[in-house]
Amino acid sequence: MQKFSVLALAAAVSFIGTAQAGFWINASGSHNSDADLSGADGDVSISTYNIVGGYDFVTVGYKRTDYDFSSSSSDWYDSLNYFYVDLHKDFTINDTFGIFGGLTLASGFEDDFHFDDNYSISPRAGVSISFTDRITGFAGAYAQFNEVDNKYLPILGVKIGNDSERGLSGSIAYPATRINYRFNSLLALEGTFLTVKDLYQLSDDSSKLKKGYVFEEGYGVSGGVILSPLKGMALRAGIQSYFDREYTYYDHGGNERGSVDVDPSVGFYANLSYGF
């Protein structure tokens, strides 16, 4: 599984080579260096850790994001947590046409878990068309329903080949794009367009907004190396940069209370995945 946001990942899970028929597990981490804040004092560095597993049509994951603010006036939280379960299924109509669908149930929070307040329910559906053995087009729609700001996105793109094949493969798509180039069974290069769109609820005793919300939205790019020393195993590492990252704050009633922009930052990521 790659480093997309939960929203972007789920939207394209059937077509970017992340889903596997058997059991698989993935652990990853990333860190972005200090970046100045616009709309607040000081700067912030951000570290993210993921553990995800799945079998057939079910994916379960947890993400933790740690924040290191240089100014106490900007220090809204130390870390945020995100749990999710994704159900997904593809159906083949004939050699050319297919349909896909899925549903993501998620909860993002600082310290206190209240699913009735901090839930996200995200259905999706679409169609696929196989133009050749290596090229498949797909289109559909994705929605995210929550207590603050519902989101609606198109799913549109083209899948090329398979990650295990030599040469170019991947998915040129919205909202999740990833391109691979495999030299041999051991070595490949990858490039990813990063998308983050996640909602979290602040703690019950938050000094800033009790039971309020923060919506994280960001875009960036990453590039790195993939090593496959064993069948079913992949080691990934590389650099990443977020060029557009924003945090919008809401009170418990869902009213917007302000936003903070994070300047572009550079960092790195590492990832280990294994499928049985």
Side-chain angles (χ1 to χ4, degrees), residues 59-126:
T59 298
V60 179
Y62 167 69
K63 178 176 74 169
R64 174 188 171 97
T65 306
D66 291 338
Y67 301 85
D68 185 6
F69 293 92
S70 64
S71 172
S72 59
S73 64
S74 303
D75 190 356
W76 285 70
Y77 33 75
D78 294 324
S79 62
L80 297 173
N81 304 280
Y82 203 88
F83 286 100
Y84 61 96
V85 177
D86 184 69
L87 308 175
H88 45 85
K89 188 66 175 177
D90 300 342
F91 300 92
T92 300
I93 299 175
N94 53 40
D95 291 341
T96 302
F97 295 98
I99 58 176
F100 64 90
L103 177 68
T104 304
L105 304 175
S107 180
F109 57 95
E110 182 180 2
D111 294 317
D112 305 295
F113 178 81
H114 306 292
F115 187 71
D116 57 334
D117 278 344
N118 53 39
Y119 67 87
S120 290
I121 301 175
S122 306
R124 64 188 182 276

Side-chain angles (χ1 to χ4, degrees), residues 147-225:
E147 282 290 295
V148 174
D149 187 13
N150 296 333
K151 300 291 182 180
Y152 304 92
L153 289 176
I155 302 172
L156 185 66
V158 176
K159 180 181 181 297
I160 305 170
N162 187 286
D163 289 357
S164 61
E165 300 174 350
R166 292 192 180 189
L168 186 68
S169 65
S171 175
I172 303 172
Y174 182 84
T177 290
R178 179 173 59 85
I179 296 297
N180 277 15
Y181 190 89
R182 179 162 293 280
F183 298 97
N184 49 50
S185 60
L186 176 64
L187 177 64
L189 300 178
E190 67 175 353
T192 304
F193 179 75
L194 305 171
T195 304
V196 179
K197 292 179 182 288
D198 295 328
L199 177 71
Y200 302 88
Q201 186 176 33
L202 301 179
S203 65
D204 294 355
D205 59 355
S206 170
S207 61
K208 304 293 185 178
L209 284 173
K210 293 182 178 180
K211 292 188 177 182
Y213 299 91
V214 55
F215 184 76
E216 178 186 9
E217 183 172 14
Y219 302 93
V221 293
S222 70
V225 176

